[in-house]
Amino acid sequence: MKIPFNKIYFTGNEEKYILDALHSGKHCGNYSYGQKVINLMKSKYEFGEVYLSPSCTASLEMGAVLAGIGPGDEVILPSYTFSSTVNAIVLFGGKPIFCDVDPTSMNIDVNKIERLITKKTKMILPIDYAGIPCEMDEIMQIANKYNLIVMQDCAQSYGSYNRNKACGTQPHLAAFSFHETKNYNAGEGGALVVNVPEWEERAYFLQEKGTDRRLVLNGVKNKYSWVDKGSSYLLSDILAAMLLAQLENEEETKMKRKLITMAYIELFKPFVEQDKIKTLHPKSYQKINHHAFWVIFDTEENKVSFMNILREYDIAAYIGYLPLHSSPMGLKFGYKPEDLPITEDLAKRLLRLPFYTELAETGLEYCIDVMHTVLNKIYN
Ligand SMILES: Cc1ncc(COP(=O)(O)O)c(C=O)c1O
């Protein structure tokens, strides 16, 4: 049996909605299906305003413009993240200030943020790795104390909660991904959440190539004009139709994926108890969306052996992020690998296991059986 790392999942209504959008006569952004997705997202979660965009990457860029990130502004973020998180600020001249991670979550270590704040700090940019929320209460407290903007990279955490607050509802700005590798898939797609009412109108202009087209659509003006800087940060209605079908099925998808998390936790439990392996484990005050599962082995050698033997059984596991501070671009910013020793060490030993909705229906038992055999081979 072949177990890929990721696989697209259909909930049932995708084709119907896409065909409907296709024949509607309008395929552009902010149209009928787009509005339905926005309404659904806002009725389910207490988001301020929602802007559907081509990707999480684009949403992060919109956020950086709204926050006014400019040359020399410092932004504190984990090094353990995707290039899009950091590029969003580097594109506008911002300087990344990388913070080490908390080994229990692989998210930014909130106890190490304050010491990185200087007069130039403008923003904190945490991410929710593998769908586990970062410690937003503490992050917002620090941000309020120093008057900083918080943009939460929620690429992986749509539908997760921290202390009963849904991811994306607490910061000034939040960016979601609906890429095909995420729980809810539009092919490529994203959303920016703006929780600062004064920034909402500007976000519409920014999304519409710096024009006030929104005011024309709302019947306020006859002709739109160039009013601000901007770009084309819109999601086509055809992709929004796909996304609507996926999001309407959110809870069922989540329930299926939960079975995978539970099975993995159970499998690794004896090794966790013996302190040989650490795994993703939500805290008691977190409810997760079951996006992904990671395992940190005691040694890099054991990780590589596990991954290679799984490959012989046609099971794809994948290394996590390569830390940004020690990447070629990170080195250009003057970082050295030893600057963030915890991130550097954990990244070498972390492995991501196959995780996709259909796995809960087909293949999970096979996966667990093989992994059980391989673990015993390595550790006995
Ligand atoms: C933390 C994080 N931010 C941003 C992105 C980019 O998302 P997108 O492909 O929707 O641009 C990813 C992609 O996986 C990610 O993991």
Side-chain angles (χ1 to χ4, degrees), residues 55-58 60 81-82 84-85 127 153 155-156 176-179 181-182 188-190 321:
S55 61
C56 181
T57 305
L60 289 164
T81 182
F82 195 59
S84 299
T85 320
I127 82 154
D153 182 336
Q156 307 184 9
F176 290 99
S177 174
F178 300 117
H179 183 262
T181 51
K182 303 302 184 292
E188 300 275 357
Y321 297 129

Side-chain angles (χ1 to χ4, degrees), residues 69-274:
I69 298 295
D73 288 337
E74 294 182 357
V75 175
I76 299 171
L77 76 165
S79 158
Y80 200 71
T81 182
F82 195 59
S83 57
S84 299
T85 320
V86 70
N87 267 336
I89 57 131
V90 166
L91 271 174
F92 302 102
K95 182 176 172 200
I97 305 296
F98 291 120
C99 184
D100 234 335
V101 287
D102 171 352
T104 66
S105 64
M106 294 307 289
N107 286 331
I108 195 165
D109 186 339
V110 286
N111 296 313
K112 292 184 179 162
I113 293 178
E114 228 169 325
R115 67 184 74 157
L116 298 174
I117 294 174
T118 70
K119 284 200 182 93
K120 292 182 181 163
T121 308
K122 184 132 188 184
M123 180 192 263
I124 306 174
L125 178 42
I127 82 154
D128 303 325
Y129 184 58
I132 299 273
C134 56
E135 300 290 349
M136 277 307 285
D137 284 7
E138 287 80 353
I139 291 171
M140 291 311 293
Q141 257 172 25
I142 298 170
N144 290 337
K145 184 170 162 192
Y146 294 94
N147 204 17
L148 305 176
I149 295 164
V150 177
M151 176 153 71
Q152 187 176 4
D153 182 336
C154 301
Q156 307 184 9
S157 61
Y158 188 85
S160 291
Y161 290 79
N162 196 50
R163 301 184 194 279
N164 291 325
K165 285 164 237 157
C167 288
T169 56
Q170 287 181 273
H172 305 92
L173 299 157
F176 290 99
S177 174
F178 300 117
H179 183 262
E180 64 163 35
T181 51
K182 303 302 184 292
N183 294 22
Y184 313 104
N185 159 29
E188 300 275 357
L192 176 73
V193 166
V194 176
N195 293 321
V196 181
E198 304 84 74
W199 293 353
E200 286 176 9
E201 186 172 71
R202 186 152 186 243
Y204 284 117
F205 299 163
L206 183 57
Q207 185 183 38
E208 284 274 17
K209 300 96 178 164
T211 72
D212 56 1
R213 182 165 176 265
R214 179 82 185 172
L215 302 182
V216 176
L217 296 177
N218 288 346
V220 178
K221 279 181 82 178
N222 296 329
K223 271 188 170 175
Y224 58 85
S225 39
W226 180 32
V227 293
D228 204 335
K229 55 180 153 185
S231 188
S232 183
Y233 290 125
L234 294 151
L235 184 73
S236 159
D237 217 48
I238 300 173
L239 296 183
M242 165 96 179
L243 183 55
L244 182 69
Q246 296 264 312
L247 289 181
E248 281 180 344
N249 206 53
E250 182 185 338
E251 290 311 316
E252 207 181 314
T253 299
K254 217 185 267 184
M255 265 166 47
K256 286 186 180 153
R257 298 177 75 101
K258 184 177 177 180
L259 299 175
I260 307 171
T261 307
M262 304 314 283
Y264 280 149
I265 286 183
E266 198 55 33
L267 166 70
F268 287 98
K269 205 168 166 189
F271 301 91
V272 171
E273 283 168 358
Q274 292 166 43

Side-chain angles (χ1 to χ4, degrees), residues 12 18 32 57 97 128 200 265 279 294 329 378:
I18 288 172
S32 164
T57 305
I97 305 296
D128 303 325
E200 286 176 9
I265 286 183
T279 65
W294 52 257
M329 263 302 266
I378 291 175

